[in-house]
Amino acid sequence: MARYIFVTGGVVSSLGKGLSSASLAYLLQSRGYKVRIRKLDPYLNVDPGTMSPFQHGEVFVTDDGAETDLDLGHYERFSGISAKKTDNITTGKIYNDVLKRERQGKYLGKTVQVIPHITNRIKEFIKNDVSKEDFVICEIGGTVGDIESLPFLEAIRQFSNEYGRTNTLFIHLTLVPYMKASDEIKTKPTQHSVKELRSIGIQPDIIICRSERTIPLNQRKKISLFCNVSIEDVIETVDVKTIYEAPISFNKEKLDERVLNYFKIKSKKKVNLKPWKRITNLVLNTNNKVNIGVIGKYVELKDAYKSLDEALTHGGIANNLKVNLIRIESDNLKPNQIKEKLKNVAGILIPGGFGKRGTEGKIAAISYARKNKIPFLGICFGMQMAVIEFARNKLKIKNATSSEFGNSKASVVGLMSEWIKDGKIMRGTDKNLGGTMRLGSYEARLKKDTKISQIYNSSKIKERHRHRYEVNINYKNHFEGKGMIFSGLSPDNKLPEIIELKDHPWFIGVQFHPEFKSRPLAPHPLFSSFIKAAKKNSI
Ligand code: GLN
């Protein structure tokens, strides 16, 4: 029977609940247990797929095609466990489901209410699709006290009663601020947050205290006394210099030990922190660095390209380098500024994106990378733009474009096919924007003797997609005749998945998002190779 660990947050948001959950998952896993991590999000969107990156940061995509919260990316990167559709639930999804059932008359005439109907559905989800796991860690989004989180908190309270208090553990993460004026660490916000939690019937078993500086014993004792947890279960987490230090720091503070102690079980194996120590050391101490220019629409926003930023860092780790990201806003990038803005970069990356705004700057930058033999990686939209640039400037199709920007006779990128997955046509004709993309893991076959097949060292790969448009396969011969090779195709040969340039040291575009599968302990080969090529270019 799986043991459940619920992680809630208090006082303020952005305390690092996701990172704490992910680190705990790694530690339990390293001790020999099978772990699963889930995110319960209180917002009303059915999934984050339709939310702008300005609102919610990146949309993370799972192998099975769910558009999820970016925390699932943290989970995957730290635990190495691939997340599934069933690992992210939102209030919107729950209500959608309950209302559908109500319309079908499944509640047999009863009044449908938050308790028990919504809470029951949440509990069903928590238990759903769990089989051999020893631990299921469920992070509850938001902060205790938010109106939206209430049904989730009520559901986990009920769950713990029904499933057994000894099989469920509540962890509460709070802020313990330092007041400069009085030179003191303050425990009151934590006390209030726990009081709020207890008023809904949840007594935390472990309190993780996020703090700028070490919490003195006296203050820990205070938290223990007022919040009704033993002193060993007051775990401090002092700001780390790099996120890769988090598993090391939580282990040092005995978080994993206390969790096992709560469930009265022993570790099966000794925790292995060596890989984290190695990369922490590397990230903090290496003096080698390489400048990579990332040109996108949301570069100002910290979390908009979370997985991409991480994957580039991983590429650096694989090459013993620090990757210095130079973020360039595509909206204001005038073609005549390209040379000046890109003069210090050793590699150029154009990430995924949507809409026409900012595309001319991107296309001009691609032209520059192509002509000046600067390593270039185009991801999804970035590959589509590389194809358009090549069509315009090498194939002389002057009006080459994507049908995403309006109807055109020269759509080298377009809605080409009603592509099929598992025998079903996936793209409907309805007007809904949510869930109408090619999503999740798809296979691609790599052409022999190409750069991409060397990089992957394989002829078949599986990568995650999130897009509506495709490069038009009918132009294949035309492109290849001028030196742009379609080096990866879908198994039915209908969808171009990868392009590369013959006469260029490193110019690759991929229709998928390799960044979703890169992990600090297993950097993605495309990013390792891209950074290596950029480094070579910078010497
Ligand atoms: N806007 C493009 C499409 O929908 C690319 C999407 C992306 O880069 N993720 O096909």
Side-chain angles (χ1 to χ4, degrees), residues 128-176:
N128 180 27
D129 198 19
V130 170
S131 56
K132 296 202 178 73
E133 283 81 359
D134 299 300
F135 293 101
V136 181
I137 302 175
C138 295
E139 177 191 342
I140 319 292
T143 308
V144 169
D146 297 348
I147 290 179
E148 280 103 335
S149 356
L150 265 178
F152 285 110
L153 296 173
E154 169 60 16
I156 61 174
R157 183 195 66 76
Q158 294 174 13
F159 185 92
S160 160
N161 258 348
E162 292 158 16
Y163 199 72
R165 194 61 188 91
T166 50
N167 300 319
T168 46
L169 164 71
F170 292 110
I171 296 181
H172 190 55
L173 178 67
T174 70
L175 178 73
V176 180

Side-chain angles (χ1 to χ4, degrees), residues 188-431:
K188 195 70 91 192
T190 298
Q191 294 177 35
H192 277 294
S193 178
V194 170
K195 195 170 156 205
E196 181 88 33
L197 201 57
R198 285 165 71 185
S199 74
I200 336 171
I202 296 175
Q203 165 64 51
D205 304 300
I206 292 177
I207 300 177
I208 301 180
C209 305
R210 173 88 186 257
S211 173
E212 252 179 73
R213 41 181 83 194
T214 297
I215 306 171
L217 185 64
N218 261 346
Q219 265 82 354
R220 282 195 189 218
K221 279 188 180 157
K222 222 165 159 185
I223 295 174
S224 158
L225 180 68
F226 282 92
C227 301
N228 199 25
V229 295
S230 77
I231 183 99
E232 291 88 357
D233 292 320
V234 179
I235 307 270
E236 76 172 19
T237 167
V238 177
D239 300 353
V240 283
K241 289 197 204 76
T242 148
I243 53 168
Y244 307 125
E245 221 180 322
I248 305 171
S249 137
F250 280 118
N251 173 262
K252 206 169 111 211
E253 289 302 321
K254 301 194 168 46
L255 174 63
D256 45 336
E257 220 173 88
R258 295 311 298 167
V259 167
L260 294 186
N261 173 71
Y262 177 87
F263 289 115
K264 301 197 172 33
I265 51 175
K266 293 221 155 53
S267 187
K268 289 189 188 169
K269 285 201 287 186
K270 203 167 164 271
V271 180
N272 179 13
L273 291 169
K274 266 195 215 128
W276 296 107
K277 286 187 178 152
R278 186 181 63 79
I279 61 175
T280 298
N281 189 23
L282 194 145
V283 169
L284 295 180
N285 299 321
T286 184
N287 289 323
N288 297 331
K289 63 169 196 195
V290 66
N291 290 341
I292 300 291
V294 178
I295 306 170
K297 215 161 43 173
Y298 313 107
V299 288
E300 308 270 283
L301 207 86
K302 203 174 108 258
D303 281 343
Y305 301 106
K306 188 76 202 150
S307 296
L308 180 70
D309 295 353
E310 286 292 316
L312 284 163
T313 307
H314 306 161
I317 291 173
N319 289 286
N320 261 313
L321 291 169
K322 200 176 263 168
V323 175
N324 188 23
L325 295 184
I326 300 186
R327 301 165 203 270
I328 300 165
E329 170 65 61
S330 56
D331 273 13
N332 316 320
L333 187 62
K334 303 274 172 299
N336 61 2
Q337 302 170 323
I338 297 282
K339 216 169 147 189
E340 176 58 25
K341 291 228 170 163
L342 297 177
K343 71 171 188 277
N344 290 326
V345 308
I348 296 174
L349 190 145
I350 310 241
F354 292 83
K356 192 167 184 349
R357 196 158 51 84
T359 51
E360 290 312 313
K362 289 181 187 175
I363 290 173
I366 296 169
S367 230
Y368 178 79
R370 181 173 61 77
K371 291 179 189 151
N372 294 288
K373 310 255 185 255
I374 299 169
F376 168 80
L377 176 58
I379 293 180
C380 203
F381 200 60
M383 154 161 156
Q384 297 173 357
M385 293 306 110
V387 166
I388 292 173
E389 189 279 327
F390 199 82
R392 284 186 192 171
N393 299 324
K394 290 288 280 187
L395 310 187
K396 305 293 175 210
I397 309 173
K398 285 289 165 231
N399 52 348
T401 186
S402 163
S403 45
E404 181 171 357
F405 314 142
N407 287 336
S408 158
K409 289 211 168 58
S411 292
V412 289
V413 177
L415 285 174
M416 292 312 302
S417 57
E418 294 290 352
W419 38 268
I420 288 176
K421 190 178 187 187
D422 306 330
K424 279 188 295 196
I425 293 179
M426 300 297 290
R427 183 156 38 222
T429 45
D430 59 31
K431 293 259 167 8

Side-chain angles (χ1 to χ4, degrees), residues 351-355 379-382 384 404 413 437 466-470 511 513:
F354 292 83
I379 293 180
C380 203
F381 200 60
Q384 297 173 357
E404 181 171 357
V413 177
M437 285 195 261
R466 180 175 183 252
H467 53 102
R468 289 192 181 85
Y469 299 86
E470 311 278 356
Q511 187 56 78
H513 290 270

